[in-house]
Amino acid sequence: MTNNKMNQLADEINQLLSKSIPESSLNTNLEDSMRYSLEAGGKRIRPVLLLLTLEMLSNEYEKGISAALGLEMIHTYSLIHDDLPPMDNDDYRRGKLTNHKVFGEWKAILAGDALLTKAFDIIVNDDKLENSAKIKLIQRLSFASGHLGMVGGQTLDMQSEGEGTSVDIQTLEQIHNAKTGALLKFAVMAAVDIANPEKYVAEKLESYSEHLGLMFQIKDDLLDVYGDEAKLGKSVGSDIENDKSTYVSLLGQQGAEDKMKYHTDAAYEDLKQLPDCYNTDNLVYIIELFNNRES
Amino acid sequence: MTNNKMNQLADEINQLLSKSIPESSLNTNLEDSMRYSLEAGGKRIRPVLLLLTLEMLSNEYEKGISAALGLEMIHTYSLIHDDLPPMDNDDYRRGKLTNHKVFGEWKAILAGDALLTKAFDIIVNDDKLENSAKIKLIQRLSFASGHLGMVGGQTLDMQSEGEGTSVDIQTLEQIHNAKTGALLKFAVMAAVDIANPEKYVAEKLESYSEHLGLMFQIKDDLLDVYGDEAKLGKSVGSDIENDKSTYVSLLGQQGAEDKMKYHTDAAYEDLKQLPDCYNTDNLVYIIELFNNRES
């Protein structure tokens, strides 16, 4: 039931993303390059989380569509740039050739730049939103995705590569809070910006989103060591191979699993403390999904 | 006199740009990389044009500061990315090492991404602007700098390189209107968004900005063939060497100079048609500057 709702929203996101880049009068295939990566997407967990949170708060998830699309555009541009040769130098992502392998490096850089720019464009031009909501969303998105958020986290991550266990747990947490946590937090808090619930609700949801972000990363690290390659669709052990600090390398399997359980319980607890008028089923389901995923 | 005003504004822009990137709690030098390129700036012609236009319209250029800074951040990020090896592969810009030569390629990509993001951040967080003005500015900036504007123009330019005279004058004009014209138009029209003059004034200023954009490019092409290397601070003839289509290669020297005169006259005419209450001295000076520059 809840899974159906998620799939339905992911389908809607997929369709809207494909239509989100208008043709240009300039005779280039830049727009094809932008769409190629937008359409190569996975589970659309970030935009779906945004829409489910908004649905819970206001019963009108439609008002979150532009923020959800903008969020996925930011996520997508970051993957295009991260895959480039001077960064992670990846040829494949989710079984498809990466953007620069298809369109060339210079166009991949520009497609990423254009998607980043388009994220703000799509939110600021959304007629369904009041000006005050647009302002709050753009404030939040520019912070979450910029040098104090995602880009800063990616920088610290790149810088720490190869340092192995010399990166301590505080630095690891900083990296993940910024690199992946910031956009997951945006997903939840963008819904708060639009629905404008009381402060207590906003605080519980913010805490929920922070625990989700850490769950996401700890699980990633566990799967890279103990995951099933067939289900993951990629080989395990890459973190060890790259001498990368992870929750497992720093805390051991038991330590990482304990930490996973701590954040899972805390996320449940945040939802329990919300007023009874909110139906938290879908957000509970997201916790289960993050906790039990095998890929 | 007018030149003093320009220098004073450029100095103010320089100081504000240096202070515009706050330190992060993440232990990287990403912010140093962002500032390195922000502080390597030239004449600051775009932000100065924005502030002079706003001063003419409203006598309070201060309200344009965040848009001026955001505009220069967009211009700066585009230079960082354009200089990268897969793009123009430049080691020097204005006599200083390019960003990636100092900080490495991956950090230059991320510094560009962060500056692009910061441009929207600084406008949306400007307390001096009403929400409606912020919205208009972000709409205009995301359009001017995205795939239908600057990034699209850069794509078409890269794609056309080496095609020599096979690029026709229409395509050349398309490239320049998008690649350099869009941000110059933003400079003028951002002031219009903030001051909100009558429609007739907005139209004349838009036309003025379009002529300025083409003047800028035609002059660039003329200087690359007939300029004085000592004054330019770089060697001439690079367009011919790179078999690049230019106004000179397509129209000849006389044809390019005729076109320059046409746009210069038209820009003057636009200013003449503004209501007498506006003191156009500074914007006239900008035309002279674009027309007579030797570097």
Side-chain angles (χ1 to χ4, degrees):
Chain A
M1 193 59 184
T2 307
N3 202 4
N4 279 348
K5 180 73 181 171
M6 280 197 65
N7 289 338
Q8 173 218 314
L9 289 175
D11 285 347
E12 192 171 344
I13 292 286
N14 284 332
Q15 286 166 28
L16 292 168
L17 281 172
S18 294
K19 288 191 288 188
S20 65
I21 310 295
E23 282 308 322
S24 161
S25 62
L26 303 173
N27 186 24
T28 75
N29 65 350
L30 178 64
E31 285 76 19
D32 296 334
S33 166
M34 295 165 76
R35 270 185 229 109
Y36 175 82
S37 291
L38 276 181
E39 292 174 352
K43 301 169 211 146
R44 310 298 188 191
I45 192 67
R46 292 164 194 76
V48 166
L49 176 58
L50 192 161
L51 298 180
L52 289 177
T53 308
L54 185 56
E55 180 75 3
M56 180 192 80
L57 290 173
S58 70
N59 290 314
E60 43 176 8
Y61 75 85
E62 293 81 1
K63 277 193 151 182
I65 293 283
S66 65
L69 296 176
L71 173 56
E72 195 67 5
M73 287 173 183
I74 295 281
H75 175 61
T76 303
Y77 111 74
S78 77
L79 300 183
I80 296 175
H81 282 186
D82 286 1
D83 287 337
L84 286 165
M87 306 267 276
D88 295 344
N89 194 20
D90 280 320
D91 292 355
Y92 289 91
R93 179 174 287 277
R94 296 197 197 96
K96 287 183 72 175
L97 284 168
T98 46
N99 193 294
H100 66 273
K101 294 304 285 184
V102 177
F103 294 93
E105 277 185 58
W106 66 262
K107 198 166 283 171
I109 295 171
L110 293 173
D113 294 343
L115 279 173
L116 162 47
T117 310
K118 185 74 190 169
F120 294 103
D121 181 85
I122 202 161
I123 294 171
V124 81
N125 284 302
D126 182 356
D127 292 337
K128 288 199 293 292
L129 291 176
E130 316 236 323
N131 279 358
S132 59
K134 291 182 191 180
I135 298 289
K136 283 191 283 181
L137 290 170
I138 293 168
Q139 285 173 332
R140 196 180 286 284
L141 187 59
S142 61
F143 178 82
S145 62
H147 72 109
L148 302 171
M150 184 187 73
V151 174
Q154 172 65 2
T155 307
L156 192 57
D157 194 22
M158 287 285 297
Q159 191 174 290
S160 308
E161 254 177 37
E163 293 190 18
T165 48
S166 72
V167 167
D168 59 22
I169 190 78
Q170 282 76 19
T171 305
L172 189 70
E173 210 120 297
Q174 268 197 320
I175 291 173
H176 295 313
N177 278 334
K179 186 179 171 178
T180 54
L183 288 197
L184 283 166
K185 185 192 275 199
F186 175 84
V188 172
M189 298 309 284
V192 168
D193 287 337
I194 296 168
N196 215 9
E198 56 194 305
K199 189 154 175 260
Y200 172 80
V201 173
E203 286 169 358
K204 287 296 151 198
L205 285 172
E206 182 162 30
S207 171
Y208 164 78
S209 73
E210 288 169 356
H211 292 302
L212 276 186
L214 290 168
M215 286 175 68
F216 188 85
Q217 195 55 49
I218 299 165
K219 185 57 126 184
D220 246 23
D221 290 353
L222 282 163
L223 286 172
D224 193 72
V225 184
Y226 307 105
D228 179 332
E229 294 198 348
K231 287 174 182 163
L232 277 170
K234 62 178 181 183
S235 49
V236 301
S238 69
D239 290 339
I240 296 170
E241 207 173 289
N242 297 327
D243 195 21
K244 198 171 168 141
S245 289
T246 70
Y247 285 97
V248 179
S249 75
L250 291 175
L251 304 177
Q253 179 180 8
Q254 190 58 50
E257 283 174 355
D258 288 350
K259 209 168 175 61
M260 184 75 187
K261 184 169 182 333
Y262 168 79
H263 289 293
T264 306
D265 291 346
Y268 279 125
E269 190 57 32
D270 285 324
L271 295 183
K272 258 185 223 150
Q273 292 182 22
L274 289 176
D276 289 342
C277 58
Y278 295 124
N279 180 344
T280 59
D281 288 357
N282 287 323
L283 298 197
V284 165
Y285 183 77
I286 295 277
I287 301 177
E288 291 165 7
L289 198 73
F290 275 45
N291 195 28
N292 301 323
R293 73 189 170 101
E294 295 180 302
S295 68
Chain B
M1 192 58 181
T2 307
N3 201 5
N4 280 348
K5 180 74 181 171
M6 280 195 64
N7 290 338
Q8 173 218 314
L9 289 175
D11 285 347
E12 191 169 345
I13 292 285
N14 284 334
Q15 285 166 27
L16 292 168
L17 281 173
S18 294
K19 289 190 287 187
S20 65
I21 310 296
E23 283 307 321
S24 162
S25 62
L26 303 173
N27 186 24
T28 76
N29 64 350
L30 178 64
E31 286 75 20
D32 296 334
S33 167
M34 296 165 76
R35 269 184 230 112
Y36 175 82
S37 291
L38 276 181
E39 293 174 351
K43 300 169 211 146
R44 310 297 188 192
I45 191 68
R46 292 163 193 78
V48 166
L49 176 58
L50 191 160
L51 298 180
L52 289 177
T53 308
L54 186 56
E55 180 74 4
M56 179 191 80
L57 290 173
S58 70
N59 290 315
E60 44 175 8
Y61 74 85
E62 293 81 1
K63 276 192 153 183
I65 293 282
S66 65
L69 296 176
L71 172 56
E72 194 67 6
M73 287 173 184
I74 294 281
H75 175 60
T76 303
Y77 111 75
S78 78
L79 300 182
I80 296 175
H81 283 187
D82 287 2
D83 287 338
L84 286 165
M87 306 268 275
D88 294 345
N89 194 19
D90 281 319
D91 291 354
Y92 288 91
R93 179 173 286 278
R94 298 196 194 99
K96 286 183 72 176
L97 284 169
T98 47
N99 193 295
H100 66 272
K101 295 304 284 184
V102 178
F103 294 93
E105 277 185 58
W106 67 262
K107 197 165 284 172
I109 295 171
L110 292 174
D113 294 343
L115 279 172
L116 162 47
T117 310
K118 185 72 191 171
F120 294 102
D121 181 84
I122 201 161
I123 294 171
V124 81
N125 284 303
D126 182 356
D127 292 338
K128 288 198 292 292
L129 292 175
E130 315 237 323
N131 279 357
S132 59
K134 291 182 190 180
I135 298 289
K136 283 192 282 181
L137 289 170
I138 293 169
Q139 285 173 332
R140 196 181 285 283
L141 187 59
S142 61
F143 178 82
S145 61
H147 72 110
L148 302 172
M150 184 187 74
V151 174
Q154 171 67 1
T155 308
L156 192 56
D157 194 24
M158 287 285 297
Q159 191 174 290
S160 306
E161 256 178 35
E163 293 189 17
T165 49
S166 72
V167 167
D168 59 21
I169 189 79
Q170 283 76 20
T171 305
L172 190 70
E173 211 121 296
Q174 269 197 319
I175 291 173
H176 295 313
N177 278 335
K179 187 179 170 179
T180 54
L183 288 197
L184 283 166
K185 185 192 275 198
F186 176 84
V188 172
M189 298 309 284
V192 167
D193 288 337
I194 296 168
N196 214 9
E198 56 193 305
K199 189 155 174 259
Y200 171 81
V201 173
E203 285 169 358
K204 288 296 152 200
L205 285 172
E206 182 161 31
S207 172
Y208 164 78
S209 74
E210 288 168 359
H211 292 302
L212 277 187
L214 290 167
M215 285 174 69
F216 187 85
Q217 195 55 50
I218 299 166
K219 185 57 124 186
D220 246 23
D221 290 353
L222 282 163
L223 286 172
D224 193 71
V225 184
Y226 307 106
D228 179 331
E229 295 198 348
K231 287 174 182 163
L232 276 170
K234 62 178 180 183
S235 49
V236 301
S238 69
D239 291 340
I240 295 171
E241 206 174 291
N242 297 328
D243 195 22
K244 196 168 170 146
S245 289
T246 70
Y247 284 98
V248 179
S249 74
L250 290 174
L251 304 176
Q253 179 179 8
Q254 189 59 50
E257 282 175 354
D258 288 350
K259 211 169 173 62
M260 184 74 188
K261 182 170 183 333
Y262 168 79
H263 289 294
T264 305
D265 291 346
Y268 279 126
E269 190 57 32
D270 285 326
L271 294 183
K272 259 185 222 148
Q273 291 181 22
L274 289 177
D276 289 342
C277 58
Y278 295 123
N279 179 346
T280 60
D281 287 357
N282 288 323
L283 298 198
V284 164
Y285 182 77
I286 296 278
I287 301 177
E288 291 165 7
L289 198 72
F290 275 44
N291 195 29
N292 300 323
R293 72 189 170 103
E294 295 180 302
S295 68

